[in-house]
Amino acid sequence: MENSEFDKFIKSNTHQELDVPEGLDWENMNIPLPPPEKKNRKIIFMLWFGLLFFAAGSMIYFYAKNANQNEAIALDKSEKTSSILETETIEKIVAQDFSNKLTPAISGDSVQITNTAQIPFSQKKDNQKGLNQLTNSTTNTLIIKDSVKVKTFVSNILNQANLTEVPLAAISKNEINQLNIASIQSINALLQFSFEKKRELNIPTYFVASEKTPNPKKKKKKNGLSVTFSFGLNTFNQNYQAGPQAELLKSAEESAIGNSYNLGLEYHIKKGFFTSVGVSYQRLHRTFTFSEELETEINYPAFQKTYRTKRVFYNNYFDFIELNIGGGKSFSFGKNWGSQLALNINPSFKIKSTGRTLDDNESIIDIEDFATKPKVFVSAGAEVRLFYKINSNRVFTSFGYKQALSKIKLLNNSSLSFQPQVLSVTLGVSRDF
Amino acid sequence: MLTENCLLNHFQIFYQIFTVENNEIHLIQECLKGNQSAFKAIYENYQGYVYTICIRYGVSVIEVKDSMQIIFMEIFKSIKNYDADKSKFKTWLTRITINQILMQKRKNQIDYAILENEKINLIESTFSVSVEEQIDTKILHGILSKMPVKYISVFNLFIIDGYSHKEIAQSLDIAENTSRILLHRGRIWAMKELKVHFKDTISNFKKAL
């Protein structure tokens, strides 16, 4: 008989429990019991409350900030439009030093102020759509989506200029309200997310007696599936790779807060390792602020010199859907706390990009008019997640970084390309099955 | 009709397992709150299982009460560290029980040193019995519990509890080779004893060792 057969024979005949002799019942054992576990629930509650308050507050703050910026532009435009076009007066808003813009020929001449609203705009660049909108119109019917600052400079008054913001077509308030409502709805959706109620359990009276003796050598795999949902805030760097305007764009653009919605599945393999697959909608956000000098008008009889500067502020958005494929490892800190480290590869599908940018001639253009077709690109990244376990639910927050592996062309008739680098913070829940 | 019965049986088994696992979690939560009834429920459900392990590892009837008291004290003390995601409660309890028994045995300071350099003499076993053959569990436990203390731990750890020689070597602080030797001797001892006791019961014994 081989050893393995003998071992099987012994094992199969020893798995049944023996009858317990008298004298070993609970009352006779006098086993000292440990004191109840003292959990400082107040501190845990306060920590969590603080964390959630901070996260929710941050989200609301950033959304409110972005919404206010849009609103402020619209209000300025409507006010200035009426004051300029109807009353034909120049308001002094900001005095700036324009001495460096003086040409030597006229720097010492005395001039008079004329009504700048009557000076026609000249065409600077025929091939630019934005400017065509601006220059092919008369003053009173001038239509442009962005604000234009008209600076009137009087050469005998150095260091002073009349700067008037002339918005020539205000964004309708309805459009702005729609944007704000969409933002608020997304926050509400997160705040209203609730956990499933804990299942009630009964005190047991029996156990399965036929359960085999556990075999540590052949541990059962603790496989499981988790579903995760998270909402995130992100910020990104365009990381321009090519294009003559790339350097200028770096100074014109600033990081802003975007958002993301993520839905994923995690399959836990063993020893804390897991694979994951998911889909997420990402909206990357940057602000574009650019002042473009249009042309200088000199009224020779009066020796009046007028600078026109087009100042554009716009929220640029880059929307895409990405597939998250990856894996990682979980680590436990005590009973309820833990963290996950994950590496992902993300095939992404660009949906649309909106806002303003510069073309190869460094002139402001609407991205949508020149945007490339939706296309696929790939990015890769890493994510660190900190979670708190409540039975089979987890609440987590995560920090992630990812970068596009390929260059993305932004405009059709331009060599401008970029490789987004995205930093993100998410707050989410997951449930194990 | 047969299919319906099968489905019903499967459902009942699934429900039973599901209920037991959930009840265990609930019991543990109650223990953490200091509920004495929960401690009692755990003890009553597992006392037979722990008692059987003690007997298998050669704990004498005189010592078994003290051993069980120490084992359950350790289980209740460590219950706050139990993680349901990592293992079943019974697996976790088995580990603690075996560790406690080995700790108690360690105090007896068994000398394994003389076996370090001994080579296993591969004697072909002549004990032959069908794996499916069922014998009286109580008597078998009685026989195995009388195994010499040097062999009994390795024999139980390897054959019944499924530890590897590496794990046994770490647990008992011995060399892996020593573990192999002890197991081999334990097997030979068990075969001899079984042959004596079950000569009439088991039909297909070939010949005595």
Side-chain angles (χ1 to χ4, degrees), chain B residues 23-169:
Chain B
N23 284 341
E24 273 178 0
I25 292 167
H26 182 69
L27 263 186
I28 292 159
Q29 285 170 347
E30 288 297 311
C31 285
L32 293 174
K33 290 176 190 170
N35 186 343
Q36 286 205 8
S37 306
F39 285 115
K40 189 182 174 185
I42 285 181
Y43 178 80
E44 285 176 349
N45 282 308
Y46 288 103
Q47 62 168 339
Y49 181 67
V50 172
Y51 174 77
T52 310
I53 296 174
C54 287
I55 296 299
R56 269 205 289 119
Y57 277 81
V59 178
S60 69
V61 180
I62 302 162
E63 291 173 328
V64 77
K65 187 178 176 183
D66 291 339
S67 284
M68 282 180 71
Q69 197 177 35
I70 292 166
I71 289 163
F72 273 101
M73 205 170 76
E74 187 59 32
I75 288 166
F76 294 153
K77 201 172 86 179
S78 309
I79 207 163
K80 62 186 175 192
N81 300 325
Y82 168 68
D83 187 348
D85 285 347
K86 285 183 180 171
S87 63
K88 282 186 176 180
F89 183 69
K90 199 170 181 177
T91 312
W92 177 82
L93 181 136
T94 309
R95 280 261 172 187
I96 289 191
T97 305
I98 292 170
N99 285 342
Q100 282 302 313
I101 293 169
L102 295 179
M103 271 177 69
Q104 288 166 35
K105 281 180 173 287
R106 215 169 285 145
K107 287 174 189 171
N108 297 334
Q109 293 183 334
I110 300 164
D111 185 16
Y112 296 106
I114 52 166
L115 299 163
E116 288 291 325
N117 299 316
E118 193 172 319
K119 286 182 181 175
I120 300 171
N121 183 15
L122 292 171
I123 303 164
E124 194 183 345
S125 168
T126 51
F127 176 84
S128 180
V129 65
S130 167
V131 176
E132 288 78 28
E133 198 95 45
Q134 293 296 312
I135 54 175
D136 192 328
T137 307
K138 201 174 174 181
I139 298 170
L140 181 62
H141 274 112
I143 295 165
L144 295 179
S145 67
K146 286 171 188 163
M147 189 181 281
V149 284
K150 273 188 181 179
Y151 318 147
I152 196 165
S153 297
V154 177
F155 185 85
N156 274 283
L157 286 168
F158 188 89
I159 294 177
I160 302 171
D161 294 316
Y163 283 64
S164 64
H165 282 297
K166 194 178 177 183
E167 287 170 318
I168 294 168

Side-chain angles (χ1 to χ4, degrees), chain A residues 35-78:
Chain A
E37 195 183 33
K38 284 181 184 175
K39 271 189 179 178
N40 204 337
R41 292 177 187 275
K42 278 184 185 175
I43 291 176
I44 294 170
F45 174 78
M46 290 300 285
L47 278 172
W48 268 107
F49 183 78
L51 184 70
L52 286 173
F53 183 79
F54 176 75
S58 304
M59 288 174 197
I60 291 164
Y61 170 76
F62 285 120
Y63 274 101
K65 192 182 169 189
N66 290 334
N68 287 340
Q69 280 178 335
N70 288 334
E71 199 169 2
I73 294 164
L75 287 173
D76 282 348
K77 284 177 178 175
S78 59

